[in-house]
Amino acid sequence: MNIEMIRAAAQRLDGEARCTPLLNSPFIDDLAGRRVWIKPECLQHTGSFKFRGAWAALSALEPSIRAKGVVAFSSGNHAQGVALAAARHNVPSVIIMPADAPHLKIENTRSLGAEVVLYNRASEDREVIGLSLEHERGLTMIKPFDDPQVIAGQGTAGLEIAKQTSSLGVEKGDVLVCCGGGGLTSGIALALEADAPGLCVRPVEPEGFDDVTRSLFSGKIEKNIKTTGNICDAIITPQPGNLTFPVMQRLCGPGLIVDENEALESMAIAFLRLKLVAEPGGAVALAAAIFRKGEIEGNDVVVVISGGNVDP
């Protein structure tokens, strides 16, 4: 992965993805003790940043390969992103989703035209199911984070952050990113390395599922003991990606960890103060800005609200 791939993805996404703004609330600034610039990827197509990577990956496929269809596994946000990208390319999609995923995410994925295959998150392996479908039907796997084109697509959010912060006169500060497997985190870090080197990406994770934070500390990939039992389902993964971790290790600052109650409170703050709907996993970066402000330096912090697909 490199900046050229991200810029190429941005060209393919031009006119397809939304350029989400940077928003500010004086109330949130007071809570965080500094200026907070919020990038609401919950306003992106399908309600999360995942459409960026899905479109980047599908649009990079050879037309003859793409026409056979794609398969993906996801707890919901990548599922919807791939389903919409496939529908816009007029190709079939099969999405493997955990049976305990939010009902909204499952129904939205189906409504976008995808075939949904449900599995038991605790007893079945989604990658095994995906590989089986890939071989049986001749589909192409679109991985949720450990794919160069997916990472490049997510990195387009970083290009936007670099341009937007420059226009605001923000040259230094932390960029807090909700982190699961690291696709968004590593993509943004690569983009900022090139276009805004004074900004430092910090991954944010839920308590008990802090594999990236522990991996950055130990210098090697660490695994989560469990992959269920937290409301931040969108960013619960077994471990960092083999492609994403080296990028995060080279470019990211230390990880930050928040608990479920802090994520829920931040969801409420986002809605009340900015009228933004954030899901728990999409709100952890905002939670870190508010509740871990002592671990952040500088007068400005950028917060990525990564998704807003939550059941009512």
Side-chain angles (χ1 to χ4, degrees):
M1 295 87 59
N2 53 52
I3 189 61
E4 287 75 21
M5 287 182 65
I6 297 174
R7 298 199 199 285
Q11 290 183 340
R12 299 197 305 277
L13 278 160
D14 186 31
E16 299 295 341
R18 293 172 177 150
C19 177
T20 54
L22 282 189
L23 305 177
N24 176 259
S25 161
F27 178 85
I28 295 176
D29 289 352
D30 288 342
L31 290 177
R34 54 178 52 84
R35 289 184 299 182
V36 180
W37 304 101
I38 295 175
K39 188 162 183 65
E41 281 295 293
C42 50
L43 301 180
Q44 189 55 259
H45 295 305
T46 70
S48 88
F49 73 95
K50 290 288 191 177
F51 177 75
R52 295 177 184 268
W55 183 273
L58 265 83
S59 62
L61 293 174
E62 289 291 333
S64 60
I65 299 296
R66 185 170 59 231
K68 296 178 182 178
V70 296
V71 60
F73 48 81
S74 165
S75 64
N77 287 337
H78 181 61
Q80 294 171 83
V82 171
L84 179 59
R88 288 190 175 181
H89 279 96
N90 295 311
V91 301
S93 62
V94 180
I95 311 296
I96 303 151
M97 302 183 70
D100 63 349
H103 181 72
L104 176 69
K105 293 181 179 181
I106 295 173
E107 289 307 307
N108 282 352
T109 303
R110 285 182 172 138
S111 71
L112 290 167
E115 175 188 346
V116 174
V117 176
L118 299 178
Y119 76 100
N120 186 313
R121 199 195 300 245
S123 62
E124 295 181 286
D125 189 325
R126 64 184 187 176
E127 294 194 39
V128 171
I129 298 170
L131 287 172
S132 176
L133 289 169
E134 183 179 13
H135 294 146
E136 288 174 7
R137 304 193 192 183
L139 305 171
T140 297
M141 174 69 73
I142 307 295
K143 295 182 179 180
F145 52 83
D146 224 19
D147 177 287
Q149 291 296 349
V150 169
I151 295 169
Q154 319 306 24
T156 62
L159 297 180
E160 293 172 13
I161 290 171
K163 185 175 181 179
Q164 291 162 333
T165 52
S166 177
S167 70
L168 292 167
V170 177
E171 297 181 353
K172 293 184 178 181
D174 287 343
V175 178
L176 309 186
V177 182
C178 309
C179 188
L184 180 64
T185 305
S186 59
I188 290 178
L190 284 166
L192 296 183
E193 177 190 30
D195 287 7
L199 300 180
C200 177
V201 172
R202 305 276 302 275
V204 185
E205 298 172 289
E207 187 177 42
F209 299 85
D210 56 345
D211 50 300
V212 171
T213 298
R214 288 184 287 110
S215 297
L216 291 174
F217 181 78
S218 70
K220 59 185 178 67
I221 290 179
E222 304 284 354
K223 296 183 178 181
N224 284 321
I225 297 174
K226 57 182 181 177
T227 56
T228 60
N230 193 283
I231 60 172
C232 300
D233 64 286
I235 56 172
I236 301 302
T237 55
Q239 63 183 59
N242 292 321
L243 296 180
T244 61
F245 177 63
V247 176
M248 293 188 288
Q249 187 178 31
R250 182 170 68 86
L251 297 177
C252 292
L256 297 162
I257 303 167
V258 300
D259 64 38
E260 289 182 306
N261 288 332
E262 291 164 339
L264 288 171
E265 188 168 345
S266 298
M267 289 171 63
I269 291 169
F271 182 74
L272 291 172
R273 299 300 171 178
L274 291 169
K275 299 301 179 278
L276 294 175
V277 175
E279 61 190 278
V284 297
L286 179 58
I290 296 170
F291 298 105
R292 299 293 178 272
K293 56 188 176 184
E295 300 177 44
I296 301 167
E297 296 182 357
N299 297 322
D300 296 272
V301 63
V302 177
V303 166
V304 180
I305 294 182
S306 57
N309 292 305
V310 60
D311 283 342

